Amino acid sequence: MNNTLFLFCILTLIVISIGLLYFMFKIHTRIKEINKTLTHQYNLIVKIQSVLKNKSATNAISENAEMIYQDLLQNLIPIMAAIDVMPRNTAEHPLWRALGGIMDEYAKNPFALEKLRRCIKLDSEVSRCIDNYINRADTFLHHLTTTDPEGILSATFTDGLLGQSLTFFTQAKQLALQTNE
């Protein structure tokens, strides 16, 4: 009977130990799941914070867009006069009408690039306006793509008239610097 009681106590301790090990394993698994969930939530919060910060910076640019547009437009007016281009006749903002007129003229007449190259070469005012426009437009686009790298706003400006005109003016400026006419 002593052996039976002793054996019963040992079996009870083994069953309790196995139960405790199972319980501890379950707790450890739950803690790992909770840790994984909290890490994921923390990463999401950091990402949301970053997006909100970038949106805030983009909104600040949007609020100051009119000043940026006017600055760019002031540099376009002498350029348009020099190459004899009229703005589009639409209800758009004057900057977009001016850029649209320039890009429409280039699409109809590739000689517009040569005309602009000559104006840059011969007229220091046009050259200065081209440099100002390129610097300001490039800075604006760079800031947009930095604050909103995959956003619709930065893609719209980069792929739209602003990006196209920047490419056109940069190409004309490079051609003017290369030739000795």
Side-chain angles (χ1 to χ4, degrees):
M1 179 118 130
N2 249 351
N3 282 342
T4 309
L5 183 61
F6 180 73
L7 192 59
F8 179 73
C9 286
I10 294 218
L11 282 175
T12 305
L13 283 175
I14 291 174
V15 168
I16 291 173
S17 296
I18 291 173
L20 283 174
L21 284 174
Y22 177 76
F23 182 68
M24 286 174 42
F25 176 75
K26 282 297 210 179
I27 288 175
H28 178 67
T29 304
R30 290 275 189 197
I31 289 173
K32 279 178 66 176
E33 288 174 6
I34 290 170
N35 189 28
K36 184 178 176 183
T37 302
L38 289 175
T39 301
H40 179 69
Q41 287 177 345
Y42 175 77
N43 290 337
L44 282 176
I45 289 171
V46 168
K47 190 181 239 181
I48 289 169
Q49 182 183 19
S50 175
V51 167
L52 290 175
K53 183 176 146 189
N54 290 342
K55 294 293 180 195
S56 173
T58 302
N59 288 341
I61 287 178
S62 298
E63 290 170 5
N64 296 321
E66 187 59 34
M67 290 187 314
I68 295 167
Y69 291 174
Q70 289 302 322
D71 185 42
L72 292 171
L73 184 59
Q74 290 304 315
N75 288 298
L76 283 179
I77 293 170
I79 297 167
M80 291 176 67
I83 60 174
D84 196 30
V85 172
M86 297 299 295
R88 283 181 178 166
N89 190 13
T90 61
E92 297 172 293
H93 186 279
L95 174 65
W96 306 124
R97 289 193 335 230
L99 289 174
I102 292 169
M103 297 315 296
D104 290 347
E105 179 65 26
Y106 179 59
K108 286 189 292 189
N109 181 10
F111 185 69
L113 180 65
E114 174 61 18
K115 199 173 186 182
L116 181 58
R117 181 201 66 82
R118 286 181 185 167
C119 288
I120 293 169
K121 193 84 170 156
L122 301 173
D123 189 342
S124 62
E125 176 68 13
V126 171
S127 181
R128 185 186 64 76
C129 288
I130 288 284
D131 288 339
N132 287 341
Y133 181 87
I134 289 171
N135 289 335
R136 289 185 173 100
D138 190 45
T139 302
F140 179 62
L141 289 176
H142 178 71
H143 187 71
L144 274 178
T145 54
T146 301
T147 57
D148 192 26
E150 295 178 20
I152 190 166
L153 185 63
S154 61
T156 301
F157 279 100
T158 303
D159 299 338
L161 286 172
L162 193 63
Q164 292 172 11
S165 67
L166 188 59
T167 302
F168 175 67
F169 291 149
T170 302
Q171 186 178 12
K173 181 71 177 180
Q174 288 172 346
L175 288 172
L177 293 174
Q178 289 175 358
T179 59
N180 292 325
E181 194 174 296

